[in-house]
């Protein structure tokens, strides 16, 4: 027959240090099943548009039927040497890209350097360089992108010496930059302080040994 059993439960701040860590580890395993990276993706899309990258879109099927468009951005991390981020799209010259990037992210020296290098490469090619970026293989990192650079010259001129490689490396640097932003966001959200706030806000309770109760 049914029995009523009384048990004392605790909020995260009422547990001992060892038990608190067990509670936090539980949340780290289950608390990131949402799209926690959406704000990073949104900023990346903005940066891409400023630099001249038109991200390719993919259809994402929704649970209730139908679909929505989502940019082709991929990542895996953050624990293995081969982890990283990549994207698909096309690149072409945008006037005043370096200034626009500085206005958007005035303290981000890495982005400034990328924008400057791309602008210099374009200048040497009369602003005619274009690139197609596609993901290949099973992994997601900057070297899992196939990048084809060409010069859209009306007389068939080839890219100026070394500029093709500069564009390729800049586009890989953007993927590296994205991965760094994602890692920073994850580490922030997975910090003890942020997790404790999430546990308290959702009124999660735990047994005396730090195991989830309700």
């Amino acid at each position: 027959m049914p029995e009523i059993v009384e048990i004392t439960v605790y909020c995260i701040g009422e547990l001992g240090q060892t038990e608190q860590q067990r509670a936090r580890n539980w949340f780290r395993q289950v608390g990131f099943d949402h799209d926690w990276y959406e704000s990073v993706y949104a900023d990346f899309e903005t940066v891409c548009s400023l630099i001249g990258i038109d991200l390719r879109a993919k259809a994402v099927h929704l649970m209730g039927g139908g679909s929505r468009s989502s940019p082709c951005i991929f990542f895996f991390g953050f624990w293995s040497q081969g982890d990283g981020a990549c994207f698909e799209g096309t690149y072409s010259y945008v006037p005043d890209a370096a200034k626009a990037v500085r206005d958007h992210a005035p303290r981000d020296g890495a982005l400034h350097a990328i924008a400057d290098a791309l602008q210099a490469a374009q200048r040497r090619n009369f602003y005619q360089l274009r690139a197609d970026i596609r993901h290949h293989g099973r992994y997601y990192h900057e070297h899992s992108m196939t990048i084809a650079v060409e010069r859209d010259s009306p007389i068939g001129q080839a890219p100026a010496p070394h500029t093709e490689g500069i564009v390729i490396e800049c586009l890989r640097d953007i993927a590296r930059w994205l991965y760094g932003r994602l890692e920073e966001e994850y580490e922030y959200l997975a910090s003890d302080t942020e997790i404790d706030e999430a546990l308290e806000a959702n009124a999660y309770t735990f047994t005396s040994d730090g195991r989830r109760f309700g």
Side-chain angles (χ1 to χ4, degrees), residues 65-120:
S67 62
R68 64 177 175 85
S69 179
S70 179
C72 290
I73 306 171
F74 315 98
F75 79 95
F76 194 83
F78 301 95
W79 307 277
S80 301
Q81 187 174 358
D83 293 347
C86 62
F87 58 92
E88 290 191 347
T90 58
Y91 163 73
S92 59
Y93 174 69
V94 172
D96 299 321
K99 180 181 182 302
V101 167
R102 282 174 167 79
D103 290 342
H104 176 72
R107 298 183 179 181
D108 198 322
L111 276 183
H112 302 170
I114 292 170
D116 290 345
L118 286 172
Q119 183 167 296

Side-chain angles (χ1 to χ4, degrees), residues 132-147:
D132 183 74
I133 310 137
R134 295 182 183 271
H135 170 254
H136 68 88
R138 298 172 50 194
Y139 301 102
Y140 299 138
H141 51 73
E142 66 272 16
H143 291 289
S144 67
M145 299 187 301
T146 298
I147 304 173

Side-chain angles (χ1 to χ4, degrees), residues 150-185:
E150 62 181 10
R151 182 170 175 176
D152 190 16
S153 168
I155 58 174
Q157 289 176 289
H162 310 299
T163 53
E164 180 179 358
I166 290 171
V167 170
I168 290 173
E169 193 59 25
C170 284
L171 296 175
R172 298 201 194 284
D173 282 343
I174 293 172
R176 295 184 186 100
W177 176 86
L178 168 62
Y179 185 70
R181 289 290 313 281
L182 288 165
E183 190 169 22
E184 289 173 2
E185 180 73 2

